[in-house]
Amino acid sequence: MTITGEVGAWNARESATPAVVAKGLTKVYGQGDAAVHALRGVDVSFATGAFTAIMGPSGSGKSTLMHCLAGLDTVSGGQVHIGDVELTGLDDRRLTLLRRERIGFIFQAFNLLPTLTAEQNIRLPLEIAGRQADQDLFGRVVETVGLRDRLGHKPAQLSGGQQQRVAVARALISKPQVIFADEPTGNLDSRSGAEVLSFLRTSVRELGQTIVMVTHDPVAASYADRVIFLRDGLLVSELLRPTPQSVLDTLMKLEA
Amino acid sequence: MFRTTLAGLRAHKLRLLLTSLAIALGVGFIAGTFVLTDTIQAGFTEKFAAAADKIDVAVLPARSEDAESSRPLSEAALEKVRAAEGVGEAQGLIRGSAALVGKDGKAVGSFPTAGISLPEGPLNRTLITSGSAPKTATQAVLDENTAKTRGFAVGETVTVLDSKNVGHEFTLVGLFDIGLDQQLAYTGGVGFTTATAKAMTGEKGYQEIDVAAAEGVGQEKARDAVAAALGPGYRVTTGEQYADDLVKANGADDQLITMGLLMFGLVAMFVAALVIYNTFNILVAQRTREMALLRCIGATRGQVFGSIVLESAVVGGLSSVFGLLIGYGMGTGALSVLIAIGAPLPSATAALAPRTIVVALLVGVVVTMGAALLPARSATRVAPIAALRSQIEEQTFRTGVLRAISAAVFLVAGTAITVIGVTMERGQLALVVVMAGGLLFFLGVLILGPVIVKPLAAFVGWLPGRLFGVPGRLALDNSGRNPRRSATTTVALTVGVTLMTLISVLVGTLRLTYSHKLDEQFPVDYMVQSQSGGLPRALGEALRDRPELASVVAIRETDAKAAGGRPPYRVGTFTALPDFTPKLTSGSLDALTPGTVVVADHTAKDLGVKLGGRMPLRTAKAGTVDLTVVGLFDAETSPLPEMTVPAGDFDRYFGAVDDRQLMVNAKDGTDLDKARKAVEAAAQPYPTAKVSSSTDIRGALDEALDMMVMIITGLLGLSVLISLLGIANTLSLSVHERTRESALLRALGLTRPQLRRTLSVEALILGLIGALVGAALGVAFGWASARTVTDGVIFTVPVLQILAFVAVSGLAGVIAAVLPARRAARASIVDALAAG
């Protein structure tokens, strides 16, 4: 309880207008004896323009937390706000529209549609929303992730690192209020992973993008401004300006 | 391995349900055909046997070379039979024409009603349903149908024409059931006492003599006695044998119907085979990892192959049993419908012959297993290492050299054979050649399918791609994504649409061509024809006197023999008129002067005479005359008798023969209703004279053709239905494959309706591709087929009909996508992302 208190204090101190806020978030799978409490009451907020990593051992609820925050899954209790919109209680259609307008996604694998070229994949969220791409932004994003000469390729013709960079570009192009990244480097070798992570950090620094990333890799987490730790469905700790070593130490403490 | 297969089947119950349905429908159609025809046959056998029970011996005229001149049995023969030892009773049966005159004073129907005799006593086989049998020369009975449709009741007086078209009045004393007599069902019938029937029909003898043996005399013994009494020249059979013969004669018709229906059944099974092939292909692709795992833990290639083949055998077997049940239901249902609409068929308990069961099961299992062989073989190529790969690779497709060459061979051969068929002499052989060419060409398209499906998808999907935004674009991409799968799915639909289009083009073209040819020959407003015999020349004269009518041309004809040809020929003439100029293929009608003749093409060929040649003709009044051929014409489209001589000559050769038909044109500017009334008024005194207008005739023809097209389209509808099951199946399997993709799209903001639309548009594109290819093939080969039937074809494409086929196919595709699309849209994003 003391730790969550401190987290709340940090949030209030750092940013007056958080991008994402969750209050008393609970998630229960199943019923009765078989019920699994994935989230047991999580209060957390994510500052606008910050890069936050969510960590925790397997089964700690970090993926569930992300799914609930992003409106991919329904919550059992509590509230989630993206900006000024409360997610909880929206029907499927409004949730879909909200995702379309305000949220970007990067997944661990299977991020791209195999039938579309890199460029079509990048523009896909805008097209779904029926919006025109900002040509300047498109150019800048493509330049940032270094895909200029790969735009006409299909995903099958790209390396794993390149595919994830396309996914990053796609997440950035619609200028979402927040990007959720689920183990974005999980399938990459360390060099490609480092590249993708620096792009994410650059987009936070230079474009003011808000990013929430789930990872189990201390090195990946160290690219973030802040790391929060989950265990057994509860927020238990956090780190500001993390290094791989400090993240690892915190994790060791949690496992103990 | 066996247990793995069964467990797999249980796990994929739903997935295989659609496949099973495809097989079951095909098998059901085949089984239904057998059940229907077997039941009809059984009913006939039963009734014939019951009817023949009354007869111990039947005497029929000996079969002579040509059926026309088979002589009826004489009175003397009947006396001989009666006198034979062991004969209890013998009766002769009369059957001829005796035209019933309706309440409007005209003979009823297009053909004269049959006049039959009703013998008294136990040998009577005609069932009187109300009233009594005729006992005197002024009593008659009528069949129930005719009485009902013509509004006659027992107790009324009816007029019946004798063989000389003289009317006689009878008191209607009863009604009878025609039973299974197909001729009576068609013409209707009037029954008399034997003597009256003989007088009315003008028949010179009996058609059949029925014998009841004396007490204690067996059928064989009675038959031998009768045969001995009659001597040669007769067919004498026992009653049992007689019933068997009747059943056999009827069975020939039955077999023809069976064969016709089975053709449609085969088409349906072919389509089902395509659907099965596709389904197993997809199943194998999706279970690559499962197969690889089996290989990893020690299964041999043979075992993997066996497990797929076993799976197909189980699916085929179960579906065939299901199909057999469907067929039993369809067969009995169809029979009840046929009887309900008045077909003269016996009702009997549905027959499920062992042959039906064996054929249905065999066809279902063999087709299913055969279609699964190739997919099973590709399953054996899965390397054990595939079990370790995390993602299933997208199937890529490249046009192989073998595919290109074999497709080219089939397409070129198909085209060449079709061209040969079109250019050869028209007739049945040419049609068969064109059909063979069409089949080869179709196989070429089938092989080429995966190559052309992508460009076709781009073409067909251009508009939906623009219209439906992202869902449309995604659908377009998806439809061309797995070309082999899409091609097989759509070709299944193409089969049905091709055949439907072909029939509608062929019928439309022939209809237009013939009606155009008839118009060209001699546009007639009204035609007066006799129901039987001729029209007195006075009728023609009366018509010529009418001021409303402009021209009346009479055609007269009679039979005559010509030396060196088959007897007899139809020799005739026409009453000349300036505006009656039937077309000749060579020579000129102007040259038709006394002592000359114009001859139909085929008759000239038959006789071996040419234009300018001479031919002897045996005439009734002038002996053998030697005629000069001055013209040839096409018998198919010409109203002229096959040998046409000048009118004066005709009378000299054959005497004052009645008119066969009168072709009448109204005067320009005369109200057509008035003109028709004038013609009818002139024809009123002649009960057998039937007036019809050209629109009547064309209307009746159109109705018959439309009916035919409808029936064939309906029967082909089954194969279309099966191919739609294939579309549904392919889509649901694709949905399963793309679970994560759909989840990604949903996460990126694609709404549920949009996701559903993606699937619907994909199905629409697949349906349209299949339909368009089918329409193109159908139009091309419909044209080619029409060319083989007649020359001077005026090609027409029933655009609306074909558009309807295409639209229905597209729409049906969308309907087929409803369930798979719902499943895709309902899936939870989080679960789907985690899957695989």
Side-chain angles (χ1 to χ4, degrees):
Chain A
M1 283 309 286
T2 47
I3 301 174
T4 36
E6 280 171 33
V7 172
W10 185 88
N11 282 339
R13 198 172 60 236
E14 191 67 18
S15 169
T17 54
V20 184
V21 179
K23 277 186 198 142
L25 203 56
T26 60
K27 176 73 186 176
V28 184
Y29 293 108
Q31 281 180 334
D33 287 347
V36 177
H37 295 263
L39 299 175
R40 295 165 180 271
V42 176
D43 296 292
V44 66
S45 76
F46 299 91
T48 301
F51 185 1
T52 311
I54 303 176
M55 293 203 76
S58 292
S60 62
K62 54 185 191 297
S63 283
T64 306
L65 175 62
M66 197 206 87
H67 289 151
C68 289
L69 293 175
L72 291 175
D73 209 346
T74 54
V75 300
S76 305
Q79 293 175 327
V80 178
H81 281 86
I82 303 261
D84 51 356
V85 179
E86 190 188 337
L87 239 68
T88 34
L90 291 184
D91 61 15
D92 181 77
R93 195 181 67 85
R94 286 201 213 141
L95 261 183
T96 305
L97 294 183
L98 180 100
R99 281 200 302 270
R100 188 191 271 186
E101 301 292 329
R102 303 198 177 201
I103 303 176
F105 287 98
I106 304 166
F107 296 105
Q108 177 177 2
F110 212 84
N111 249 312
L112 309 177
L113 285 192
T115 53
L116 303 182
T117 63
E119 176 165 0
Q120 287 169 329
N121 262 298
I122 294 173
R123 291 180 186 272
L124 187 59
L126 293 173
E127 293 206 0
I128 290 177
R131 282 193 283 157
Q132 279 298 309
D134 178 342
Q135 277 311 318
D136 267 5
L137 182 65
F138 182 80
R140 236 169 348 137
V141 166
V142 169
E143 214 56 64
T144 311
V145 296
L147 284 168
R148 177 68 60 200
D149 55 342
R150 285 272 182 273
L151 286 178
H153 289 55
K154 292 266 174 79
Q157 299 163 302
L158 299 173
S159 71
Q162 285 168 335
Q163 288 185 27
Q164 285 305 73
R165 282 189 282 162
V166 172
V168 172
R170 183 193 60 206
L172 290 171
I173 197 76
S174 55
K175 288 190 280 186
Q177 205 148 10
V178 56
I179 292 175
F180 289 101
D182 189 359
E183 306 267 14
T185 58
N187 272 359
L188 301 182
D189 60 80
S190 55
R191 206 176 64 85
S192 308
E195 252 175 29
V196 167
L197 287 165
S198 4
F199 291 136
L200 291 180
R201 193 161 62 185
T202 312
S203 65
V204 173
R205 300 272 179 280
E206 294 179 4
L207 305 170
Q209 184 63 56
T210 309
I211 296 178
V212 176
M213 172 176 75
V214 170
T215 182
H216 66 270
D217 175 11
V219 178
S222 70
Y223 282 81
D225 300 315
R226 171 191 173 214
V227 185
I228 61 171
F229 294 89
L230 253 71
R231 195 180 63 189
D232 299 333
L234 283 170
L235 200 55
V236 288
S237 181
E238 72 169 293
L239 274 176
L240 297 178
R241 282 170 282 284
T243 65
Q245 194 54 50
S246 64
V247 172
L248 202 56
D249 290 346
T250 313
L251 277 176
M252 299 284 270
K253 252 192 285 172
L254 289 178
E255 301 275 0
Chain B
M1 259 339 255
F2 184 64
R3 235 187 269 157
T4 323
T5 307
L6 291 188
L9 274 171
R10 271 202 297 278
H12 307 303
K13 273 191 299 259
L14 214 68
R15 187 188 296 179
L16 289 166
L17 185 74
L18 288 170
T19 320
S20 311
L21 208 53
I23 307 165
L25 282 177
V27 169
F29 191 88
I30 292 178
T33 302
F34 281 129
V35 169
L36 174 66
T37 49
D38 283 353
T39 307
I40 292 175
Q41 184 70 354
F44 275 124
T45 309
E46 203 178 290
K47 287 249 180 159
F48 285 141
D53 239 12
K54 296 181 173 174
I55 307 171
D56 290 320
V57 178
V59 181
L60 296 167
R63 287 195 189 91
S64 67
E65 292 287 300
D66 56 317
E68 298 281 319
S69 62
S70 96
R71 278 180 314 142
L73 304 165
S74 65
E75 196 68 44
L78 179 58
E79 288 313 320
K80 272 189 211 161
V81 171
R82 283 194 172 136
E85 196 179 337
V87 170
E89 193 188 344
Q91 293 280 359
L93 297 186
I94 301 280
R95 172 167 293 193
S97 293
L100 174 72
V101 177
K103 296 207 157 165
D104 58 354
K106 308 290 281 186
V108 302
S110 315
F111 292 94
T113 47
I116 60 168
S117 63
L118 269 67
E120 281 177 60
L123 279 173
N124 178 30
R125 279 184 281 150
T126 310
L127 180 68
I128 300 289
T129 52
S130 67
S132 60
K135 292 195 179 57
T136 70
T138 56
Q139 293 182 336
V141 290
L142 200 54
D143 77 275
E144 283 174 307
N145 287 338
T146 309
K148 202 168 140 198
T149 51
R150 303 298 170 187
F152 287 112
V154 174
E156 286 185 295
T157 301
V158 292
T159 305
V160 183
L161 302 178
D162 66 14
S163 56
K164 304 226 158 44
N165 283 344
V166 178
H168 299 264
E169 288 195 346
F170 294 90
T171 309
L172 198 57
V173 293
L175 302 180
F176 68 93
D177 178 21
I178 55 164
L180 301 171
D181 195 309
Q182 304 293 321
Q183 190 206 338
L184 290 187
Y186 189 57
T187 61
V190 191
F192 309 99
T193 60
T194 304
T196 316
K198 217 170 174 180
M200 288 296 291
T201 58
E203 294 289 324
K204 292 183 193 73
Y206 302 106
Q207 195 189 37
E208 177 184 327
I209 294 174
D210 291 346
V211 177
E215 200 91 9
V217 178
Q219 289 199 346
E220 275 81 14
K221 207 170 164 204
R223 179 196 59 195
D224 294 344
V226 169
L230 281 171
Y234 300 90
R235 264 189 302 156
V236 184
T237 59
T238 60
E240 267 171 41
Q241 182 62 42
Y242 177 64
D244 279 356
D245 288 348
L246 282 180
V247 168
K248 250 181 228 152
N250 194 65
D253 286 351
D254 211 38
Q255 209 142 28
L256 211 66
I257 297 172
T258 311
M259 294 311 289
L261 285 175
L262 283 183
M263 291 291 287
F264 291 97
L266 284 183
V267 171
M269 273 324 277
F270 176 65
V271 173
L274 286 173
V275 169
I276 297 158
Y277 165 77
N278 217 25
T279 306
F280 273 93
N281 244 340
I282 302 172
L283 289 183
V284 165
Q286 287 183 353
R287 290 198 310 215
T288 303
R289 258 203 276 179
E290 201 179 300
M291 304 290 166
L293 186 64
L294 286 173
R295 294 294 314 279
C296 275
I297 59 174
T300 62
R301 276 170 195 272
Q303 281 174 315
V304 169
F305 182 80
S307 82
I308 305 275
V309 172
L310 179 65
E311 182 171 338
S312 69
V314 174
V315 171
L318 288 177
S319 326
S320 303
V321 171
F322 184 41
L324 199 58
L325 293 178
I326 294 180
Y328 189 76
M330 286 209 296
T332 44
L335 186 61
S336 334
V337 169
L338 284 174
I339 289 174
I341 61 173
L345 296 172
S347 54
T349 41
L352 193 59
R355 186 251 286 128
T356 312
I357 299 174
V358 170
V359 168
L361 294 186
L362 210 64
V363 166
V365 173
V366 167
V367 167
T368 313
M369 289 177 71
L373 279 184
L374 278 178
R377 201 172 65 113
S378 69
T380 63
R381 298 215 194 95
V382 174
I385 190 73
L388 307 173
R389 288 191 201 121
S390 59
Q391 258 190 2
I392 301 168
E393 284 168 44
E394 280 271 311
Q395 272 193 348
T396 49
F397 176 82
R398 267 168 298 149
T399 314
V401 180
L402 193 67
R403 181 181 294 272
I405 291 175
S406 52
V409 167
F410 275 106
L411 291 179
V412 169
T415 313
I417 291 178
T418 308
V419 168
I420 291 173
V422 168
T423 46
M424 72 197 276
E425 194 183 347
R426 61 178 201 267
Q428 218 152 24
L429 182 65
L431 185 62
V432 171
V433 170
V434 165
M435 288 295 148
L439 193 65
L440 285 181
F441 195 88
F442 188 85
L443 287 177
V445 171
L446 184 64
I447 296 170
L448 202 63
V451 184
I452 53 173
V453 78
K454 217 165 172 176
L456 278 174
F459 170 70
V460 170
W462 185 81
L463 189 64
R466 295 274 175 287
L467 222 56
F468 293 102
V470 175
R473 266 249 321 275
L474 291 173
L476 182 51
D477 287 338
N478 284 337
S479 63
R481 189 162 167 179
N482 196 326
R484 203 174 309 197
R485 189 185 298 179
S486 302
T488 318
T489 310
T490 53
V491 160
L493 180 60
T494 303
V495 175
V497 177
T498 301
L499 293 176
M500 284 185 182
T501 310
L502 190 147
I503 293 296
S504 76
V505 168
L506 181 61
V507 170
T509 297
L510 291 184
R511 179 185 307 191
L512 189 69
T513 305
Y514 280 128
S515 96
H516 186 81
K517 279 187 182 177
L518 291 177
D519 282 347
E520 224 178 32
Q521 287 289 341
F522 185 57
V524 187
D525 289 334
Y526 305 102
M527 190 92 93
V528 185
Q529 277 167 304
S530 171
Q531 194 191 41
S532 63
L535 299 165
R537 290 191 182 185
L539 172 55
E541 294 310 322
L543 286 169
R544 286 188 188 94
D545 290 343
R546 286 281 176 169
E548 298 93 335
L549 308 176
S551 61
V552 177
V553 173
I555 302 280
R556 295 167 189 150
E557 60 179 42
T558 184
D559 289 343
K561 291 189 179 181
R566 60 164 171 92
Y569 289 95
R570 281 169 41 237
V571 180
T573 189
F574 59 93
T575 54
L577 258 188
D579 60 346
F580 180 69
T581 51
K583 251 200 188 151
L584 299 187
T585 48
S586 61
S588 158
L589 264 194
D590 296 336
L592 191 63
T593 51
T596 63
V597 64
V598 290
V599 184
D601 291 333
H602 66 86
T603 312
K605 209 166 141 195
D606 206 24
L607 287 169
V609 295
K610 294 203 168 61
L611 189 65
R614 300 181 74 76
M615 52 167 269
L617 183 70
R618 242 181 277 165
T619 69
K621 299 249 154 113
T624 299
V625 291
D626 205 27
L627 302 176
T628 309
V629 179
V630 295
L632 298 173
F633 61 89
D634 179 11
E636 228 173 278
T637 55
S638 179
L640 297 178
E642 58 185 335
M643 289 177 192
T644 301
V645 296
D649 282 4
F650 185 78
D651 285 1
R652 198 149 47 73
Y653 300 157
F654 301 102
V657 173
D658 279 351
D659 293 338
R660 169 68 93 207
Q661 62 174 264
L662 292 162
M663 295 183 287
V664 182
N665 270 326
K667 203 165 261 167
D668 283 343
T670 311
D671 181 48
L672 281 180
D673 260 355
K674 250 191 198 160
R676 181 172 191 141
K677 284 212 178 82
V679 178
E680 275 173 356
Q684 189 58 37
Y686 310 95
T688 59
K690 295 269 162 187
V691 178
S692 53
S693 71
S694 54
T695 41
D696 287 347
I697 296 170
R698 226 161 267 173
L701 181 73
D702 281 356
E703 216 167 88
L705 287 176
D706 285 344
M707 187 71 161
M708 190 181 86
V709 171
M710 245 168 62
I711 289 175
I712 292 180
T713 307
L715 290 172
L716 288 171
L718 182 75
S719 60
V720 171
L721 184 67
I722 293 176
S723 60
L724 292 178
L725 289 174
I727 293 187
N729 217 1
T730 306
L731 280 180
S732 71
L733 290 165
S734 296
V735 162
H736 178 78
E737 236 172 33
R738 298 184 206 139
T739 308
R740 300 183 67 182
E741 224 174 293
S742 305
L744 175 68
L745 283 164
R746 293 273 290 124
L748 291 178
L750 204 69
T751 60
R752 280 189 177 143
Q754 282 180 312
L755 187 59
R756 277 201 297 267
R757 206 171 307 146
T758 308
L759 262 299
S760 304
V761 175
E762 182 175 350
L764 176 73
I765 292 174
L766 289 181
L768 287 180
I769 293 176
L772 280 182
V773 173
L777 289 176
V779 168
F781 286 95
W783 168 82
S785 311
R787 283 287 299 264
T788 64
V789 177
T790 178
D791 59 357
V793 163
I794 304 167
F795 183 54
T796 176
V797 178
V799 177
L800 277 182
Q801 229 165 27
I802 293 172
L803 279 183
F805 292 152
V806 173
V808 167
S809 302
L811 188 73
V814 173
I815 293 171
V818 166
L819 279 181
R822 271 176 54 133
R823 228 184 58 191
R826 263 209 312 254
S828 135
I829 303 174
V830 174
D831 291 350
L833 280 172

